[in-house]
Amino acid sequence: MAGQGLAAGSAREVAALFADASPEEVETLAARYRDDPRKQVQKALATAVRRAAKEQAERDRVMGMYELQRTLAGGGVAIGVDEVGRGAIAGPLTVGAVVLPDEPIIWGINDSKQLTPARREALAGRIAEVAIAIGIAHIEPASIDAVGMATALRMAMAQAIAECGIEPDAVLIDGNPVHVHPKERTVVKGDASIACIAAASIVAKVTRDELMVAMDEEYPGYHLAECKGYGSAEHIEAIRAKGLSPIHRVSFCGNFLETPRLF
């Protein structure tokens, strides 16, 4: 590639070189063709420079997530923990716990809420291939109603951490203190800044979404495949028309029915 980049070439050939170049190669090519008078070359150069800057920023972002993970764990083993479904009115509370190695880097990893469904699923597959350990825990609606969300969250996190089967140097949790592990360290917006927490958020989200799609078939009419158990307008209207199903959190639905009915 580098040798090709130093060739004079036609404007079309040079533009093709820019299109295929890595960020490092773009820098070399830009130095070679910065003063080239051909419009096609200058347009390709400008496009490539913008693309390379974006790609480098993304690399730096992900590398920073791994670096913060290492720092908080003191260079040791970190279990990243995150939950999904806390604010839903139907379905389980789901917690993911993930241990990632320093290498290979999972490029593109991010807070699950910042990713498209297709991207989340692809990254979940990559996490499953790369992770040292993965733990998943679900707390069902009846248990949430019985013990409350704070206790349910601690139960789910404890189960997911234990399922990893690893003694960590740090347990890194997104959000505020949970008091679930003696080596717990909480980081607000940790799912967007720490690699193993982001991985846990992706695994938890993909796992729970699949459950809610399956529950939509078992309990049709509540739009669960679309809303994933959250309080969308269609979901709330269905509750008012049909009553509550066994997977609804009764304690969360008091505003939707005067007298909650269970099917």
Side-chain angles (χ1 to χ4, degrees):
M1 177 66 202
Q4 290 179 324
L6 296 176
S10 68
R12 179 178 296 179
E13 290 170 340
V14 174
L17 290 176
F18 275 116
D20 294 335
S22 69
E24 295 79 9
E25 291 167 336
V26 167
E27 186 176 355
T28 299
L29 289 169
R32 170 68 174 172
Y33 291 102
R34 186 170 288 113
D35 297 325
D36 192 300
R38 292 171 292 184
K39 290 184 179 180
Q40 185 176 1
V41 171
Q42 289 303 310
K43 183 177 179 180
L45 186 155
T47 299
V49 168
R50 288 193 299 270
R51 173 178 55 79
K54 185 176 180 179
E55 290 177 2
Q56 189 60 54
E58 172 63 8
R59 288 187 187 183
D60 292 344
R61 182 189 68 80
V62 174
M63 291 296 291
M65 295 176 77
Y66 276 84
E67 182 59 34
L68 184 54
Q69 173 182 299
R70 285 189 292 270
T71 298
L72 293 177
V77 174
I79 299 179
V81 182
D82 200 11
E83 57 77 23
V84 65
R86 188 188 312 204
I89 60 177
L93 169 71
T94 299
V95 168
V98 176
V99 180
L100 291 179
D102 289 338
E103 295 286 348
I105 300 291
I106 301 177
W107 298 110
I109 199 167
N110 203 345
D111 169 15
S112 64
K113 297 184 292 296
Q114 302 300 317
L115 302 167
T116 65
R119 189 64 179 142
R120 279 196 299 265
E121 291 181 11
L123 285 167
R126 181 61 176 153
I127 291 164
E129 295 173 353
V130 168
I132 296 170
I134 295 176
I136 295 286
H138 306 285
I139 303 297
E140 299 305 325
S143 296
I144 296 171
D145 287 332
V147 304
M149 181 53 70
T151 299
L153 183 61
R154 284 193 294 272
M155 290 168 54
M157 287 189 172
Q159 291 174 21
I161 293 166
E163 191 173 311
C164 286
I166 288 178
E167 182 59 38
D169 296 289
V171 174
L172 307 180
I173 300 176
D174 180 47
N176 298 311
V178 184
H179 309 296
V180 71
H181 193 279
K183 296 179 181 177
E184 170 183 319
R185 298 191 69 171
T186 55
V187 181
V188 174
K189 297 185 179 179
D191 50 5
S193 60
I194 299 172
C196 58
I197 299 180
S201 78
I202 292 167
V203 169
K205 174 66 173 169
V206 169
T207 301
R208 188 179 184 279
D209 281 0
E210 290 174 351
L211 283 176
M212 298 311 298
V213 170
M215 287 179 180
D216 185 64
E217 297 182 2
E218 188 172 356
Y219 302 102
Y222 292 100
H223 308 279
L224 299 175
E226 294 80 22
C227 72
K228 305 300 188 292
Y230 288 86
S232 68
E234 295 82 3
H235 187 186
I236 292 171
E237 182 58 33
I239 291 173
R240 288 174 172 151
K242 296 164 61 69
L244 300 180
S245 77
I247 64 165
H248 280 93
R249 304 173 187 176
V250 178
S251 60
F252 282 47
C253 297
N255 292 334
F256 310 141
L257 288 174
E258 292 183 7
T259 305
R261 295 181 286 119
L262 296 178
F263 284 2

